[in-house]
């Protein structure tokens, strides 16, 4: 399992905000993709309303996931592929290591995959003595640096060209260069050798199609095609929800995926892989394995409040518009998934109490929902998570996060049901605030727990007479 | 046009307690437009702070109080998109398991309007005869924009203000970082967000920033004040009531 | 071993869904449905496309190709494609080493280009991506396949045709067949695809309708690997700078033959 550091949300966020390089990169990323993706939806032949249709398609699929996965498995096997259903990361890792041993695999090339990040496949492979290379340029940079991706689609946005130049010079023994084209060429050369020498390729799965028995992978670099074409064994890993029932559903979703991810009409490469090499074909893997992973997803499926989250196709469109992500970057979220999607998925996968800051640390501004290609109501689910944190929840094993706050709100709810008491409270507060430092009619400092406000902002004092007091007098 | 114009004022708690002048500006506009006003004086808060923090029992209590207070109002009008979102979208959610209350919540939801929405969509006014000499820019509040879909109404109203020049800021629809308790609990993130918002306001060249929600405006004003900026922060009612 | 968790896994999903309806009934909602009116219309439309509509499609393709740096070039006949390729081979230098070689699909359209002869003057060999020995085709690590793999790796230009080209996003659609290796469009520095004008279709909807309901296309299905290619390989992973040729070809040329023979 990948290390979970969701508790450090506040300190990591603070660190990210102070990192000016990261701030510029995030601003640039959001400026480009945020606007362009919205425009790409507008330019769809069906218009942006296609997102709502896509939502219905996804929801209907998830509601019938059992029979659709059965069909997928049946058809992949018919095409000559192997299907393995993994209850958790451990099962998936054990299975893939077994395949690796069977084929005497030494070198593995990986296509970018969030789900293998989620289960920590890399470190498990490395511990077993395999030579593992990430092959997406961004992921390769991250791997050389010994870090984790900070964005689903652009894993290395937190690195500058100078960082990459230094890293390549150090790890690849090449002269220090900073031109992105030359750095890309250096990686192309190094990774080409890896592709050609690899015995096994792995990738994720963007979206499988049950009726044909294919998985689809999407990339711009061509690394996934390399990893799925050149080595003799290929294993694809998919989260169990990443399936479309039929081609007509696949049509809607793949077009929205490309637009959501990078405002493209179509990614450079989309591959439909449905089995191993057939006799007479010159290339392709001898064996094709599809690992379908649960790892906590069936628990999400069982809860009506959160089932909708399984509609997510991991395009990262929400990251590109989230004003919170735009400030704190991906690492603050402390697990594989960042941004709005991470704020819901991570607590459900690693524990709601453990990841409470992810549930609470947003403004519920709703930009994510509007940009989501399948119109997932992320704010609704953040609210549902918050209610579990507030009240506790036996199904998810949540204990109330803040009992003091809970009693505060209880008292508050009684007070606001009684206007007289409320007026009295306002009177006291208006009196109390006179002792606070003020300047030009604005309060400069508030005591804890309100001091977060005044660390950067002033506050207008409570009026000596409320509107309703004035109204009572006036009418 | 509506012959028998009526509005029952739903005063956001922030307006009631910190910014009563915003409520009075709204009253002034309505009186000028011959709207019959009433205002239940036992109203308090819609319950959104509790709801957003996850305290649904407490939010339900606040909602029941609101529903009772406004039971007989025909048109409930509020100078905050956020509070209207709470009543319109979240009240029904709170009572899914209580059919009797759900019915009353749905009824309250259907009768509740945001101030500019009410002026433009219900009363049909875009020009309320206001004069205000300033360079204005407008901040789209998240719940107003994405919660109840009000984007053009405030802009149309502002476009008819005599003497005012309107300038769009960059990313006017990006969250200011208020988020209620978020602004205090996650103050570093909130600060970073409002810093960007304020930067966009300053760069627009406007001397007055206008909005329809005192939550966001309090946040923006708080930072501008700390910076010692001369830029004024106004609720749209304060602009529209000027003559 | 491979299927041991299958029943348990699906059972857990069933339980999570708590479905009132029978499996068969739900399967029938999704699969093996008759052709929809919509798909029927799409197929009719493809079949009866007028010359004007075809021209329009071609224009859409040209426009879509521009922003993705895909070179789409209309040529009147096979011999002009051959000359264009000869020119490219002359102009372009290999990426690794200095020896020029070209690899091409075994495909009727490519065969008509007579590349071997045309490139012999430049002394550039043309390898054909085909396994010659029937017996060896079934063996998993045949010398024949190793030889071919090396030829593809050594070639700096790969020449293919395609099954279709979708105009709306300028996307080549290729299915895998013997003689039509996938690495030809992937491993070399430059990829050239030669297609006929009437292989251009509008979009993914048309492609899926053809694959699903056109008898000939349905029979072959998607094959074990269907690939879409929309332009040259690219990355923007370093400071969001767009660079072509991350792992796949750095340049892609689509020659569209407009003759009617």
């Amino acid at each position: 399992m990948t290390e979970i550091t969701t508790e450090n949300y506040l300190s990591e966020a603070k660190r990210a905000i102070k990192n000016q390089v990261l701030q510029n990169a995030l601003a640039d990323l959001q400026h480009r993709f945020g606007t362009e993706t919205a425009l790409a939806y507008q330019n769809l032949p069906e218009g942006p309303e296609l997102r709502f249709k896509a939502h219905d398609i996804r929801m209907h699929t998830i509601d019938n996931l059992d029979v659709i996965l059965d069909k997928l498995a049946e058809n992949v096997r018919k095409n000559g592929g192997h299907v393995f259903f993994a209850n958790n990361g451990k099962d998936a890792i054990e299975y893939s290591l077994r395949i690796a041993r069977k084929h005497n695999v030494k070198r593995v090339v990986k296509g970018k995959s969030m789900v293998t990040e989620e289960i920590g496949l890399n470190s498990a492979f490395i511990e077993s003595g395999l030579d593992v290379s990430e092959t997406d340029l961004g992921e390769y940079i991250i791997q050389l640096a010994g870090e984790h991706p900070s964005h689903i689609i652009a894993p290395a946005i937190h690195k500058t060209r100078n960082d990459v130049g230094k890293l390549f010079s150090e790890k690849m023994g090449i002269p220090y260069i900073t031109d992105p084209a030359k750095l890309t060429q250096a990686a192309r050369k190094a990774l080409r050798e890896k592709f050609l020498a690899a015995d096994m390729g792995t990738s994720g799965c963007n979206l499988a199609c049950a009726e044909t028995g294919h998985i689809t992978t999407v990339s711009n670099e061509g690394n996934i095609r390399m990893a799925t074409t050149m080595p003799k064994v290929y294993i694809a890993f998919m989260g169990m929800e990443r399936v479309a029932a039929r081609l007509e559903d696949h049509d809607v979703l793949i077009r929205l995926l490309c637009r959501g991810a990078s405002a493209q009409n179509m990614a450079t490469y989309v591959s439909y892989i449905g089995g191993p090499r057939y006799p007479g074909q010159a290339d392709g893997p001898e064996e094709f394995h599809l690992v379908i992973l649960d790892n906590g997803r069936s628990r999400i499926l069982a809860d009506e409040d959160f089932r909708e989250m399984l509609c997510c196709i991991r395009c990262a469109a929400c990251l590109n518009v989230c004003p919170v992500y735009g400030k704190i970057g991906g690492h603050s979220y402390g697990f594989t998934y960042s941004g709005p999607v991470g704020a819901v998925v991570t607590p459900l996968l690693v524990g709601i109490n453990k990841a409470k800051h992810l549930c609470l640390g947003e403004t519920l501004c709703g930009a994510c929902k509007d940009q989501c290609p399948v119109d997932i109501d992320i704010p609704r689910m953040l609210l549902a998570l918050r209610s579990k944190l507030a009240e506790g929840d036996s199904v998810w094993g949540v204990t109330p996060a803040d009992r003091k706050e809970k009693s505060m709100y209880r008292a508050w709810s009684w007070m606001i049901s009684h206007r007289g008491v409320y007026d009295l409270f306002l009177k006291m507060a208006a009196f109390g605030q006179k002792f606070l430092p003020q300047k030009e009619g604005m309060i400069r400092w508030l005591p804890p727990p309100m001091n977060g406000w005044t660390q950067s902002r002033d506050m207008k004092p409570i009026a000596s007479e409320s509107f309703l007091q004035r109204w009572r007098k006036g009418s | 046009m509506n012959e028998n114009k009526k509005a029952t004022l739903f005063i956001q708690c922030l307006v009631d307690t910190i910014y009563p002048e915003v409520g009075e500006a709204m009253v002034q506009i309505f009186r000028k437009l011959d709207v019959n006003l009433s205002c239940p004086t036992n109203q308090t808060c819609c319950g959104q702070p509790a709801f957003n923090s996850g305290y649904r029992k407490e939010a339900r209590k606040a909602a029941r109080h609101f529903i009772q207070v406004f039971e007989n109002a025909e048109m409930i009008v509020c100078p905050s998109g956020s509070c209207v979102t709470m009543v319109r979208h979240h009240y029904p959610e709170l009572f899914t398991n209580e059919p009797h209350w759900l019915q009353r919540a749905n009824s309250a939801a259907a009768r509740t309007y945001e101030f500019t929405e009410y002026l433009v969509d219900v009363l049909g006014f875009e020009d309320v005869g206001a004069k205000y000499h300033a360079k204005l820019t407008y901040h789209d509040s998240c719940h107003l924009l994405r919660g109840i879909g009000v984007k053009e109404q405030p802009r149309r109203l502002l476009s008819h203000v005599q003497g005012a020049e309107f300038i769009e800021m960059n990313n006017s629809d990006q969250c200011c970082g208020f988020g209620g308790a978020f602004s205090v609990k996650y103050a570093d993130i909130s600060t970073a967000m409002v810093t960007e918002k304020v930067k966009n306001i300053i760069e627009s060249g406007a001397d007055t920033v206008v909005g329809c929600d005192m939550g966001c405006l309090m946040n923006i004003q708080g930072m501008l004040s700390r910076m010692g900026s001369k830029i004024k922060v106004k609720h749209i009612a304060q602009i529209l009531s000027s003559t | 071993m491979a299927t041991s968790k299958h029943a348990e896994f699906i059972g857990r999903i069933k339980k999570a869904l708590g479905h009132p309806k029978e499996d068969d009934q739900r399967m029938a909602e999704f699969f093996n449905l008759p052709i929809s009116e919509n798909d029927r219309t799409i197929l009719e439309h493809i079949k009866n496309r007028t010359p004007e509509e075809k021209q329009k499609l071609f224009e859409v393709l040209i426009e879509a190709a521009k922003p993705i740096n895909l070179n789409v070039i209309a040529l009147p006949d096979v011999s002009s494609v051959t000359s264009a390729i000869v020119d490219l081979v002359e102009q372009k230098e290999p990426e690794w080493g200095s020896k020029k070689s070209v690899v091409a699909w075994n495909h009727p359209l490519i065969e008509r280009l007579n590349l071997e002869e045309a490139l012999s003057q430049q002394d550039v060999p043309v390898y054909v991506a085909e396994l010659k020995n029937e017996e060896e085709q079934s063996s998993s690590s045949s010398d024949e396949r190793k030889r071919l793999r090396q030829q593809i790796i050594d070639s700096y230009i790969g020449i293919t045709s395609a099954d279709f080209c979708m105009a709306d996003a300028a996307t080549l659609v290729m299915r895998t067949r013997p003689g039509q290796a996938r690495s030809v469009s992937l491993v070399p520095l430059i990829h050239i695809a030669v297609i006929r004008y009437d292989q251009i279709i509008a979009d993914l909807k048309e492609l899926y309708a053809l694959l699903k309901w056109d008898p000939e296309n349905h029979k072959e299905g998607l094959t074990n690997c269907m690939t879409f290619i929309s332009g040259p390989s690219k990355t923007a992973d370093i400071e969001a700078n767009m660079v072509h040729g991350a792992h796949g070809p750095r340049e892609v040329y689509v020659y569209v033959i407009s003759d009617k023979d």
Side-chain angles (χ1 to χ4, degrees):
Chain A
M1 187 92 140
T2 302
E3 200 190 351
I4 302 165
T5 55
T6 44
E7 291 95 335
N8 304 341
Y9 185 78
L10 282 160
S11 55
E12 286 296 315
K14 199 168 180 169
R15 202 159 72 150
I17 289 165
K18 284 188 181 148
N19 179 345
Q20 200 47 51
V21 171
L22 178 65
Q23 290 300 310
N24 294 344
L26 289 167
D28 185 51
L29 176 98
Q30 293 202 324
H31 177 67
R32 281 149 33 99
F33 285 118
T35 331
E36 284 175 24
T37 293
L39 190 66
Y41 294 149
Q42 290 293 336
N43 291 339
L44 279 160
E46 298 91 338
E49 286 72 33
L50 190 64
R51 295 167 50 248
F52 307 134
K53 185 179 175 189
H55 182 92
D56 293 346
I57 290 173
R58 284 299 285 150
M59 217 50 222
H60 193 43
T61 307
I62 299 300
D63 283 339
N64 293 281
L65 194 59
D66 53 341
V67 293
I68 290 168
L69 280 181
D70 249 342
K71 186 58 121 186
L72 174 69
E74 180 191 323
N75 282 332
V76 170
R77 286 177 185 136
K78 219 183 264 174
N79 292 339
H82 301 270
V83 181
F84 181 77
F85 286 93
N87 290 341
N88 49 42
K90 189 167 153 277
D91 285 358
I93 288 167
E94 273 175 17
Y95 178 78
S96 32
L97 283 173
R98 210 151 57 198
I99 303 299
R101 273 194 296 274
K102 183 180 140 201
H103 292 275
N104 201 19
V105 168
K106 303 253 177 335
R107 288 167 294 263
V108 181
V109 279
K110 279 189 73 206
K112 189 169 62 174
S113 152
M114 299 308 288
V115 85
T116 59
E117 272 288 325
E118 175 188 322
I119 63 175
L121 186 73
N122 274 18
S123 49
F125 271 14
I126 290 165
E127 273 163 34
S128 305
L130 295 171
D131 173 7
V132 184
S133 299
E134 289 287 354
T135 60
D136 172 88
L137 178 57
E139 293 277 353
Y140 181 61
I141 293 168
I142 295 306
Q143 190 189 18
L144 287 182
E147 296 176 10
H148 290 292
S150 63
H151 185 280
I152 293 175
I153 304 300
I157 52 150
H158 58 288
K159 294 246 172 273
T160 63
R161 61 180 75 194
N162 297 344
D163 294 340
V164 178
K166 262 178 238 155
L167 190 66
F168 278 16
S169 159
E170 224 170 83
K171 305 276 173 169
M172 289 159 60
I174 59 165
Y176 174 72
I177 44 169
T178 57
D179 175 33
K182 287 190 178 133
L183 287 167
T184 303
Q185 181 63 15
R188 174 181 170 97
K189 185 164 184 285
L191 286 167
R192 188 179 163 98
E193 284 162 18
K194 303 254 187 207
F195 283 125
L196 299 180
D199 320 288
M200 184 160 104
T202 70
S203 79
C205 161
N206 291 96
L207 191 65
C209 179
E211 84 173 342
T212 73
H214 288 73
I215 64 147
T216 332
T217 64
V218 175
S219 91
N220 284 315
E221 298 188 357
N223 60 314
I224 299 183
R225 281 191 72 200
M226 281 282 197
T228 61
T229 305
M230 306 311 279
K232 66 180 184 223
V233 186
Y234 165 44
I235 309 180
F237 297 83
M238 70 173 260
M240 68 181 204
E241 75 284 6
R242 299 290 281 282
V243 60
R246 297 156 301 195
L247 283 176
E248 48 267 46
D249 305 330
H250 197 271
D251 163 50
V252 171
L253 296 170
I254 207 85
R255 286 189 291 135
L256 281 166
L257 171 66
C258 294
R259 282 161 175 85
S262 49
Q264 290 172 289
N265 289 343
M266 192 67 83
T268 307
Y269 300 111
V270 181
S271 299
Y272 298 67
I273 299 164
R277 183 184 79 89
Y278 293 164
Q281 294 181 345
D283 52 19
E286 296 304 314
E287 277 187 22
F288 166 53
H289 297 264
L290 174 60
V291 175
I292 302 176
L293 185 76
D294 184 324
N295 209 31
R297 286 164 175 74
S298 53
R299 198 176 174 198
I300 300 175
L301 186 71
D303 192 322
E304 294 275 358
D305 276 347
F306 301 117
R307 184 178 291 179
E308 186 186 357
M309 202 57 226
L310 295 176
C311 293
C312 175
I313 50 177
R314 304 284 190 270
C315 70
C318 57
L319 277 64
N320 297 340
V321 291
C322 174
V324 173
Y325 177 88
K327 293 297 167 208
I328 70 175
H331 289 151
S332 304
Y333 294 83
F335 190 59
T336 310
Y337 305 105
S338 56
V341 41
V344 177
V345 166
T346 299
L348 296 175
L349 291 180
V350 310
I352 296 174
N353 282 108
K354 194 174 172 64
K356 68 169 184 175
H357 289 307
L358 276 65
C359 313
L360 296 168
E362 289 83 18
T363 62
L364 304 171
C365 80
C368 47
K369 179 176 185 291
D370 282 5
Q371 194 83 341
C372 174
V374 295
D375 194 42
I376 298 173
D377 197 346
I378 287 180
R380 178 188 65 76
M381 285 184 274
L382 285 173
L383 283 165
L385 285 167
R386 289 180 186 189
S387 86
K388 301 214 181 300
L389 274 173
E391 308 287 343
D393 185 276
S394 58
V395 177
W396 287 91
V398 186
T399 50
D402 190 339
R403 292 187 191 276
K404 217 164 81 187
E405 189 182 76
K406 197 171 154 68
S407 17
M408 201 267 295
Y409 272 109
R410 194 170 296 158
W412 171 87
S413 73
W414 177 78
M415 178 179 77
I416 65 156
S417 310
H418 301 85
R419 182 74 211 197
V421 182
Y422 187 61
D423 280 333
L424 195 66
F425 171 79
L426 288 177
K427 209 175 222 174
M428 280 159 55
F431 177 75
Q433 73 187 357
K434 289 185 179 146
F435 300 100
L436 297 169
Q438 298 194 13
K439 189 183 168 192
E440 290 166 21
M442 296 289 281
I443 297 170
R444 302 280 286 180
W445 180 87
L446 287 165
M450 292 293 290
N451 53 341
W453 181 277
T454 42
Q455 81 176 42
S456 60
R457 289 155 289 200
D458 297 338
M459 185 177 249
K460 195 161 175 266
I462 294 172
S464 52
E465 255 185 335
S466 73
F467 174 85
L468 289 165
Q469 282 168 329
R470 295 187 197 189
W471 176 273
R472 273 182 221 132
K473 279 188 189 166
S475 59
Chain B
M1 195 142 309
N2 209 322
E3 286 301 315
N4 200 0
K5 294 173 285 198
K6 268 186 194 169
T8 301
L9 301 178
F10 159 22
I11 302 296
Q12 179 191 26
C13 53
L14 286 177
V15 169
D16 183 29
T17 59
I18 302 180
Y19 298 95
E21 63 276 16
V22 171
E24 289 181 329
M26 185 167 73
V27 168
Q28 208 179 317
I29 297 162
F30 283 150
R31 293 230 158 105
K32 185 170 153 192
L33 300 176
D34 284 329
V35 179
N36 257 318
L37 291 183
S38 57
C39 181
T41 52
N42 53 343
Q43 62 175 298
T44 51
C45 169
C46 67
Q48 184 174 206
F51 183 75
N52 282 359
S53 295
Y55 297 93
R56 298 204 171 174
K57 253 184 243 161
E58 289 72 20
R60 222 169 268 132
K61 196 162 179 171
R64 285 201 186 94
H65 179 71
F66 178 95
I67 290 169
Q68 283 165 337
V69 167
F70 287 95
E71 197 92 71
N72 299 317
E74 279 176 42
M75 281 282 177
I76 306 167
V77 182
C78 175
S80 158
S82 199
C83 306
V84 174
T85 300
M86 180 68 197
V87 174
R88 199 178 286 176
H89 296 315
H90 298 312
Y91 275 16
E93 285 171 33
L94 282 173
F95 296 110
T96 42
N97 296 325
E98 296 171 67
H100 171 63
W101 276 101
L102 178 61
Q103 197 189 358
R104 293 167 80 181
N106 280 330
S107 158
R111 286 178 283 128
T112 304
Y113 292 86
E114 186 273 331
F115 170 60
T116 65
E117 187 186 32
Y118 178 71
L119 279 182
V120 175
D121 298 347
V122 179
L123 298 184
F125 284 110
E126 288 190 5
D127 186 347
V128 295
K131 281 190 200 128
Y132 194 92
H133 286 277
K135 284 185 189 170
L136 307 178
T137 192
Y138 176 74
H139 164 68
D140 286 280
S141 290
C142 298
H143 292 161
L144 180 72
L145 176 69
R146 286 178 277 267
I148 59 173
V150 172
K151 180 181 182 181
E152 290 307 321
Q153 294 88 328
R155 287 180 169 79
R156 273 188 236 149
L157 288 162
L158 289 175
S159 74
H160 287 96
V161 174
Q162 274 186 46
E165 181 191 342
F166 185 77
I167 313 165
E168 284 284 356
M169 70 172 99
N170 280 333
N171 301 330
S172 65
D173 61 351
Q174 184 167 308
C175 179
C176 71
F178 175 57
F182 171 86
S183 60
V184 173
K185 280 191 185 171
Y186 297 89
D188 289 321
I189 308 173
S190 176
T191 296
M193 290 164 75
V194 70
T195 303
E196 182 171 335
K197 178 54 71 181
V198 162
K199 181 171 159 275
N200 284 326
I201 293 168
I202 293 170
E203 284 176 1
S204 76
D207 54 37
T208 305
V209 55
V210 186
C212 296
D213 220 308
M214 286 321 297
C216 317
L217 294 176
M218 180 168 81
N219 190 32
I220 292 167
Q221 181 191 40
M223 171 145 286
L224 284 168
S225 161
R226 181 62 62 92
M227 289 166 65
S229 167
K230 294 275 174 270
I231 296 176
K232 293 193 186 72
V233 180
K234 297 281 178 193
H235 189 277
I236 192 165
Q238 293 173 290
I239 305 291
L240 299 179
S241 64
S242 303
T243 47
Chain C
M1 111 187 160
T3 60
S4 60
K5 301 264 165 62
H6 186 155
E8 176 192 333
F9 194 100
I10 299 291
R12 198 168 44 239
I13 296 178
K14 267 191 212 310
K15 199 174 152 212
L17 290 169
H19 248 294
K21 280 199 221 162
E22 291 296 319
D23 290 2
D24 290 351
Q25 199 185 339
R26 288 186 292 131
M27 278 275 199
E29 276 178 40
F30 285 98
F31 304 111
N32 302 321
L33 300 169
I35 182 167
S36 68
E37 205 41 55
N38 195 25
D39 278 348
R40 205 187 296 277
T41 316
I42 292 173
L43 288 182
E44 280 298 307
H45 185 72
I46 298 170
K47 214 160 71 187
N48 302 322
R49 205 156 1 232
T50 63
E52 293 75 34
E53 285 171 332
K54 284 182 183 173
Q55 178 58 31
K56 194 89 192 270
L57 265 193
F58 182 70
E59 283 159 19
V60 171
L61 168 62
I62 294 286
E63 281 310 304
K66 280 180 197 161
I68 57 171
N69 289 312
L70 172 68
N71 305 291
V72 179
I73 300 144
L75 291 169
D77 49 34
V78 170
S79 62
S80 42
V81 173
T82 307
S83 336
I85 293 176
V86 168
D87 288 350
L88 262 187
V89 172
E90 203 173 305
Q91 288 163 24
K92 303 286 176 180
E93 291 305 316
E95 183 178 21
W96 325 103
S98 57
K99 176 82 184 98
K100 287 183 180 179
S101 63
V102 168
V103 62
W105 273 8
N106 175 13
H107 185 278
L109 190 59
I110 308 297
E111 218 165 307
R112 284 172 55 205
L113 300 172
N114 273 326
L115 287 173
E116 209 160 331
E117 196 189 312
L119 290 173
S120 64
Q121 287 168 337
Q122 295 184 50
D123 198 23
V124 174
V126 178
Y127 305 121
V128 179
E130 180 189 33
L131 300 176
K132 294 204 178 74
N133 190 330
E134 272 297 320
E135 226 173 89
E136 288 202 83
Q137 287 183 4
S138 54
S139 140
S140 62
S141 58
S142 69
D143 291 343
E144 180 72 7
R145 283 184 56 225
K146 279 188 191 146
R147 175 193 59 78
L148 187 53
R149 179 182 162 104
Q150 196 55 48
Q151 284 176 342
I152 296 171
I153 292 167
D154 290 343
S155 298
Y156 84 120
I157 296 182
I159 301 171
T160 72
S161 185
D163 287 2
F164 302 100
C165 183
M166 299 188 283
D168 74 332
T171 307
L172 293 162
V173 180
M174 301 170 168
R175 286 180 277 186
T176 305
R177 303 180 186 90
Q180 300 176 6
R182 343 174 181 170
S183 42
V184 176
S185 63
L186 175 66
V187 177
L189 179 68
I190 297 166
H191 172 211
I192 299 172
V194 186
I195 60 165
R196 293 185 325 273
Y197 189 63
D198 59 12
Q199 285 177 292
I200 302 171
I201 56 175
D203 52 23
L204 196 52
K205 268 194 179 20
E206 290 195 357
L207 175 73
Y208 282 167
L210 286 167
L211 289 173
K212 219 166 153 169
W213 304 110
D214 175 60
E216 208 175 307
N217 279 297
H218 178 71
K219 198 172 155 211
E220 195 174 12
L222 280 67
T223 71
N224 54 345
C225 181
M226 180 169 78
T227 305
F228 292 175
I229 300 176
S230 309
S233 154
K234 63 186 180 190
T235 184
D237 276 347
I238 302 173
E239 289 190 6
N241 272 269
M242 175 68 72
V243 179
H244 284 297
H247 302 287
R250 192 171 297 153
E251 294 172 41
V252 181
Y253 296 83
V254 179
Y255 293 122
V256 184
I257 303 175
S258 50
D259 70 356
K260 303 287 182 285
D261 59 56

